Amino acid sequence: LQVDLWQPSSPSHIVEGAVADVRVPRNTTRSLLPYLQQANIPYTILISDLQQAIENQTGGRPHRNRRSLSGYNYEVYHSLDEIEDWMHYLNRTYSDLVHMFSVGKSYEGRSLYVLKLGKRSRPYKKAVWIDCGIHAREWIGPAFCQWFVKEALQTYQTDPDMRRMLTQLYFYIMPVFNVDGYHFSWTNDRFWRKTRSKNMRFHCHGVDANRNWKVKWCDEGASLHPCDDTYCGPFPESEPEVKAVAHFLRKHRKQIKAYLSFHAYAQMLLYPYSYKYATIPNFNCVESAAYNAVNALQSAYGVRYRYGPASSTLYVSSGSSMDWAYKNGIPYAFAFELRDTGHFGFLLPEMLIKPTCTETMLAVKNITLHLLKKCH
């Protein structure tokens, strides 16, 4: 019987006591269940019809040119074309607070767009970098990046905290980091994770864009095999998307004080290190920011997030963007693993976009306001 592993991403992660999610063809479900029962393997059916769940998210909504910010629906998932149209619209309409630019091109030639958000109040301001969608199938990430921009623009006049944030800081927001992979997850494979670069030797596509950074590259938690989901690539920054963002961050590292990357799923707030079990030098400041952020998040709907160093809270992984940002002088580096804890997994229903983004917004504002205080 052939099964398609969903999570963990590699069979090597499956050990006694671990939980593994599998996707099985509809016509083989009945033959699989007796096997599991006979082998005394506990199982739970999480989604009875996976194909229908996918079609509920991707089908039936025509592409529309949105004429106003209020007319754009932030409670559904959007294709890459829709997100880019939305970015262009904001750039034209909110020129006092928004500036759109590209940091480079993807493997397939798509622009890597970033929104610079903030009041042009002084020539030099500290900044926060936010990226979403480094892994293609984690659609709630790009949904949050859009939600953040919407909240910033809609509450700037009425919320003193947001006004302070946009006056004292710039936000560089990249709604879709892995543009090729994200597009492919809409058109071909909803569970695609990697970039779409070609490997001629193995005829496998893509590199894990969160294992391709030049920090303990291709060590523990990454794979050398091009067909694996955690493939680290042929060399660090081999992916044009990673290279372009790394170049931008290096160029602005004196200005950028926080790096926030949004993933799914696990309900965690992680900070360095990912690649080793060790305490970061500014642990007290970062730990305090994480503690306050998860408490702020929980205040919305009671959802609990675990927080801590990525290596001990989640698992060891090398070549991650968060570790790279920290190693390159950005003192606050965090990775969010958004809802849920595995029932829907990467197929988080659209009805959960609003609560997920609402609570996450509280955490991000909390971290940002923490930045504006002195912490030694």
Side-chain angles (χ1 to χ4, degrees), residues 284-350:
N284 288 339
C285 289
V286 171
E287 170 85 357
S288 170
Y291 170 79
N292 290 326
V294 298
N295 282 342
L297 186 150
Q298 189 178 343
S299 71
Y301 302 100
V303 173
R304 285 181 171 274
Y305 269 49
R306 291 171 59 201
Y307 68 96
S311 54
S312 55
T313 310
L314 187 56
Y315 47 65
V316 174
S317 64
S318 55
S320 74
S321 64
M322 179 183 71
D323 280 353
W324 182 92
Y326 186 77
K327 284 282 193 176
N328 277 267
I330 299 176
Y332 288 88
F334 291 101
F336 281 79
E337 294 283 351
L338 300 179
R339 293 198 196 185
D340 57 7
T341 54
H343 182 95
F344 295 109
F346 304 118
L347 282 180
L348 193 72
E350 290 179 326

Side-chain angles (χ1 to χ4, degrees), residues 25 143 147 155 175 180-181 216-217 219 235 260 274 279 301 327 338:
W147 189 276
T155 65
D180 296 346
K216 213 70 176 174
W217 175 78
D219 208 313
F235 53 87
L260 308 179
S274 288
T279 303
Y301 302 100
K327 284 282 193 176
L338 300 179

